[in-house]
Amino acid sequence: MNKAGSVERRSAIEALGVSKIFGNGDDAVRALDNVDVTIGENEFFTLLGPSGCGKTTLLRLIAGFDFPTEGEIRLYGEDIAPLPPFKRPVNTVFQNYALFPHMTVAQNIGFGLEMLGKPKSEIDERVTQMLRLVRMEELRNRRTSQISGGQQQRVALARALAPRPKVLLLDEPLSALDFKLRKDMQIELKRLQHETGITFIFVTHDQEEALTMSNRIAVMSKGHILQIGSPRDIYDRPAERFVANFIGDTNFLEGKVKSFAKGKARIALAAGGEVDAGISEGVEPKGNVTIVVRPEHAAILAKPGKDALKGTLETIVYFGTDTHFHVKLASGPHFIIRQQNRHGAEDEFKTGMPVGVEIGANAAQVLKD
Amino acid sequence: MAAAISKTVDMAARAEMAATSRNRLLSTPALVIITVFGVLPLLIILVYSFLKAAPYGGVEWRFSTDAYLNFLFQRDIFDDTLQFTPDFLIIYFRSAVYAVATTAICLLFGFPTAYFMATRPPSQRNWWVLLITIPFWSNLLVRTLAVMFVIRDEGLINHALMALHVIDKPITMLYTNFAIMLGLLYSYLPFMVLPLYSSLEKLDFRLVEAAYDLYATKRRVLWRVIIPLSLPGIVAGCLLVFIPTLGAYVTPLILGGGTHLMIGDLIAQQFGTGRNWPLGSAQALILMAAVLIALHFYSRAAGQVKHG
């Protein structure tokens, strides 16, 4: 596991050897398999993965809706795994918001405090404060069925934040919103996390959402955490093929390890030439390996130097902000290069012409598998 | 251009009208049934209640309010003055108590049952619904007689208890209030369970999780989320139990042994041995009016809870 990017903080949530098995006998499904993760105080931590990877299961174990088959879940050092949800200072923002339809916006937001037995004056004050925080003051007495999806989202956030939980869990809260609203809410969530100082654990399958919002990301697949790191770590230095594939576009190149030192290896590429590639912590590459190069970390050259990989330009796709060049390398594989479009740049490339591909310094990363 | 548009609009309007008249045509059978089996008999009852009773049953076609006067007053045979007699009112009141008690007990037993059914895996739920509806497959009279055989002095329960030496002489259960209540409960419990089930089945259990997450204990989740959201089912179930039990006839007759007269028996008597059809009609209409008034207040109260 890659510990790079972890920040020195008190740990808010620790999962220790957590497994969750649903069903029994032949129908048993191992949703989580021996997961270890430490989430720091005041961190925006994202569990990222495709559906069925176990990210929501982990979130539900932390919330208390399910109980782990094995392992411990600690909240500030205390094992909370056997506690029911109403005894955990942890609140959840649900994917479908789960607002109470028979209550007003204010009653929804005040519900948690009311259940905690807070006096009415305190609840009113806190509800007002929360409504201001999510900028919904004027909708205080509306029914939840009378407000839009984005507004419901804000009420759900306010409701979960009102009791000042130690940790806020967010289960794909933005997936039901349209694109524009989702962008706004991403910024809004960052702001809320910053202003409240509460630890956020965010579950999503949207890699872009994860990259833009998180302090750290845990990439999950089939009940395992494959890699934990800062967005930059995860994007620039994916440790495994799955991580590289799941996040962004990637070029895979085969090669042979020539030599390696601390954190770096010299790789002789099957496509010709040699590159320096980063190595994930705890990996000792040898023999045949795969390296990854992000499309924007390589350059396309009309007049290649001798170190560049040779190929033929097959397709040019114009995207407005940038252009993608699909190159078929002389050695066989395809390679995609993304280049930002600069104003006034000449169209020097034509499909079918021979081109060179130059991999930037420190752009390549050796995969574990 | 404008003409073309107005023509299109005209055509749309005409199509809509055609659709409306077609819809009317489709609703005709329902309207006929409602008229023939609902409105018409009610009108006959209404008319009869304002006629004079013929000595051997039937009615004399002369206008009279005797039936309604007789409901509350008795004409003194000597000086012809009206005297207030609460006999019928007592029967009505007793029936209302039975009906309210039956409804309350049905709700008490029905809610957990319906909740249990609604929380089973979807594949199992239909089996539970089937089990609940099985009693409907046999006739009400047969079911009531079955209850009688179970609770009578020589019945199943007393035999079993005596064989186990728990008691040495049979407990009298038949022909008591208990017997009537038991019979009503048994007959009408499904009418409570089914609407409750259909309400609870639609309940979004993520809301339950949300409340649970927001520090609500199980009991508070029940009172603050599950019950308010299943209120339509509770209202429907209570109505479906209360109204028929209020006018129940067979059950009190068989299990009460005629000792505890209820509205159903009373009305039936007027058309049978009493030979006073107008009085029976008036009694039926008064029952209906009472139910409607009760419903009015009930639905208002239920509405307040819902929006409270």
Side-chain angles (χ1 to χ4, degrees):
Chain A
M1 205 180 295
N2 187 357
K3 287 269 161 50
S6 68
V7 189
E8 287 309 317
R9 283 171 159 140
R10 275 175 78 189
S11 73
I13 289 279
E14 282 170 280
L16 303 171
V18 169
S19 295
K20 177 68 187 175
I21 300 167
F22 288 109
N24 40 39
D26 294 340
D27 300 333
V29 178
R30 193 172 270 269
L32 284 177
D33 192 6
N34 200 14
V35 166
D36 288 297
V37 59
T38 302
I39 297 162
E41 185 171 45
N42 195 7
E43 195 172 16
F44 198 123
F45 192 90
T46 299
L47 300 171
L48 174 67
S51 61
C53 72
K55 57 191 194 295
T56 296
T57 304
L58 184 55
L59 200 76
R60 288 175 63 84
L61 293 182
I62 298 171
F65 300 133
D66 286 314
F67 299 100
T69 315
E70 285 160 27
E72 270 182 37
I73 290 171
R74 292 193 183 158
L75 178 71
Y76 288 97
E78 184 198 350
D79 184 18
I80 56 164
L83 295 180
F86 60 85
K87 286 193 178 150
R88 301 181 185 207
V90 169
N91 291 131
T92 309
V93 178
F94 295 86
Q95 188 170 12
N96 65 335
Y97 319 139
L99 297 177
F100 305 122
H102 57 302
M103 297 181 198
T104 63
V105 167
Q107 283 169 334
N108 263 282
I109 297 173
F111 188 83
L113 295 163
E114 199 191 324
M115 292 299 120
L116 286 172
K118 298 276 187 257
K120 197 172 178 311
S121 58
E122 191 189 325
I123 297 174
D124 281 348
E125 196 184 315
R126 188 101 182 100
V127 167
T128 309
Q129 206 183 330
M130 293 322 296
L131 282 167
R132 201 178 313 129
L133 187 68
V134 297
R135 298 169 182 153
M136 295 255 308
E137 288 107 315
E138 69 284 5
L139 298 174
R140 186 182 184 108
N141 295 316
R142 289 281 193 89
R143 303 221 141 246
T144 54
S145 54
Q146 295 168 329
I147 58 176
S148 71
Q151 290 167 335
Q152 288 184 15
Q153 171 68 83
R154 283 157 194 268
V155 174
L157 267 168
R159 185 179 70 172
L161 284 170
R164 293 184 220 256
K166 294 228 170 77
V167 175
L168 186 76
L169 309 175
L170 301 108
D171 185 9
E172 308 216 16
L174 307 182
S175 59
L177 301 178
D178 63 49
F179 181 76
K180 182 76 174 57
L181 214 49
R182 202 157 63 224
K183 292 276 160 223
D184 292 346
M185 278 310 289
Q186 285 178 7
I187 296 162
E188 187 83 7
L189 274 177
K190 274 301 268 186
R191 177 182 72 84
L192 283 173
Q193 200 259 336
H194 188 72
E195 282 180 23
T196 56
I198 290 172
T199 309
F200 276 33
I201 304 179
F202 186 87
V203 158
T204 185
H205 63 265
D206 183 335
Q207 42 110 358
E208 192 195 306
E209 218 166 79
L211 291 174
T212 52
M213 294 165 74
S214 322
N215 295 120
R216 284 195 303 154
I217 299 170
V219 183
M220 297 185 70
S221 170
K222 294 175 184 158
H224 295 272
I225 292 182
L226 300 180
Q227 189 174 0
I228 301 178
S230 68
R232 187 169 280 274
D233 269 342
I234 298 277
Y235 186 79
D236 285 353
R237 287 179 288 283
E240 293 185 37
R241 188 178 293 265
F242 178 87
V243 178
N245 244 333
F246 191 71
I247 299 172
D249 301 320
T250 315
N251 295 301
F252 295 99
L253 291 172
E254 304 301 324
K256 241 191 178 70
V257 180
K258 280 192 75 182
S259 65
F260 79 93
K262 193 180 181 322
K264 210 158 228 135
R266 187 78 183 161
I267 311 288
L269 295 173
E274 290 183 3
V275 287
D276 282 326
I279 319 166
S280 301
E281 210 172 288
V283 179
E284 291 190 4
K286 49 182 173 287
N288 290 324
V289 291
T290 306
I291 64 159
V292 290
V293 180
R294 295 294 182 187
E296 63 276 20
H297 294 162
I300 182 166
L301 305 165
K303 297 176 192 70
K306 77 174 175 55
D307 281 347
L309 312 178
K310 308 286 188 299
T312 317
L313 182 54
E314 279 196 329
T315 324
I316 302 171
V317 188
Y318 179 73
F319 275 94
T321 54
D322 48 32
T323 304
H324 294 189
F325 299 96
H326 295 240
V327 176
K328 185 168 170 55
L329 296 178
S331 61
H334 286 262
F335 198 99
I336 301 171
I337 298 128
R338 179 166 17 195
Q339 208 162 65
Q340 209 173 3
N341 292 324
R342 275 188 297 273
H343 185 67
E346 278 176 58
D347 289 338
E348 49 177 336
F349 297 104
K350 297 272 178 302
T351 50
M353 71 185 274
V355 289
V357 173
E358 197 175 67
I359 295 165
N362 296 322
Q365 177 78 9
V366 180
L367 292 179
K368 261 199 240 175
D369 54 344
Chain B
M1 183 67 184
I5 289 171
S6 88
K7 197 176 170 191
T8 329
V9 170
D10 198 40
M11 270 166 66
R14 228 179 289 164
E16 204 172 298
M17 266 165 66
T20 317
S21 65
R22 195 167 56 239
N23 289 347
R24 280 215 191 101
L25 202 70
L26 283 170
S27 63
T28 312
L31 289 174
V32 168
I33 286 171
I34 291 169
T35 311
V36 173
F37 295 105
V39 179
L40 229 55
L42 210 58
L43 281 175
I44 294 171
I45 297 277
L46 183 68
V47 170
Y48 273 26
S49 75
F50 286 106
L51 294 175
K52 260 193 151 7
Y56 302 107
V59 287
E60 278 178 30
W61 283 87
R62 277 192 296 144
F63 178 78
S64 160
T65 54
D66 277 0
Y68 291 93
L69 281 175
N70 284 340
F71 185 78
L72 288 176
F73 304 99
Q74 209 158 31
R75 205 173 282 279
D76 195 293
I77 35 173
F78 298 111
D79 57 8
D80 228 25
T81 55
L82 289 173
Q83 269 183 333
F84 177 70
T85 46
D87 294 356
F88 292 152
L89 275 184
I90 288 169
I91 293 170
Y92 271 59
F93 182 72
R94 185 192 297 146
S95 298
V97 170
Y98 277 123
V100 169
T102 307
T103 309
I105 297 171
C106 276
L107 184 60
L108 208 65
F109 285 109
F111 197 89
T113 310
Y115 189 84
F116 173 83
M117 288 162 63
T119 48
R120 292 312 92 194
S123 56
Q124 284 178 22
R125 288 182 200 160
N126 283 338
W127 287 105
W128 288 106
V129 172
L130 186 75
L131 280 177
I132 287 290
T133 49
I134 276 180
F136 286 142
W137 296 4
S138 61
N139 181 281
L140 175 65
L141 198 63
V142 175
R143 277 183 280 149
T144 309
L145 286 169
V147 171
M148 184 172 150
F149 280 110
V150 171
I151 64 170
R152 65 181 178 162
D153 287 0
E154 307 82 41
L156 211 61
I157 292 175
N158 277 318
H159 261 307
L161 288 177
M162 269 165 30
L164 291 167
H165 299 291
V166 181
I167 51 172
D168 43 39
K169 63 174 192 270
I171 305 168
T172 309
M173 287 180 282
L174 194 57
Y175 308 139
T176 61
N177 289 338
F178 167 77
I180 298 177
M181 286 293 305
L182 185 71
L184 290 174
L185 200 65
Y186 172 56
S187 308
Y188 291 103
L189 191 60
F191 290 101
M192 181 63 87
V193 172
L194 293 177
L196 280 178
Y197 166 73
S198 89
S199 235
L200 285 168
E201 199 207 6
K202 287 198 282 282
L203 182 73
D204 184 352
F205 278 90
R206 286 172 294 197
L207 296 175
V208 173
E209 273 188 353
Y212 214 29
D213 184 60
L214 289 162
Y215 313 109
T217 55
K218 281 186 174 172
R219 181 189 297 250
R220 290 180 117 171
V221 171
L222 178 69
W223 283 104
R224 293 298 306 275
V225 177
I226 298 174
I227 289 179
L229 289 176
S230 53
L231 210 60
I234 295 175
V235 170
C238 286
L239 292 181
L240 285 178
V241 174
F242 180 77
I243 295 171
T245 47
L246 190 61
Y249 171 61
V250 172
T251 313
L253 193 71
I254 295 177
L255 297 175
T259 52
H260 303 269
L261 208 56
M262 284 179 63
I263 300 177
D265 306 316
L266 184 69
I267 294 171
Q269 270 184 13
Q270 307 313 323
F271 287 95
T273 49
R275 286 182 192 163
N276 195 339
W277 290 17
L279 183 58
S281 304
Q283 283 169 348
L285 285 174
I286 289 165
L287 173 63
M288 207 172 102
V291 168
L292 285 177
I293 290 166
L295 276 191
H296 173 71
F297 285 111
Y298 180 69
S299 64
R300 233 173 44 179
Q304 260 167 15
V305 174
K306 203 176 172 184
H307 297 291

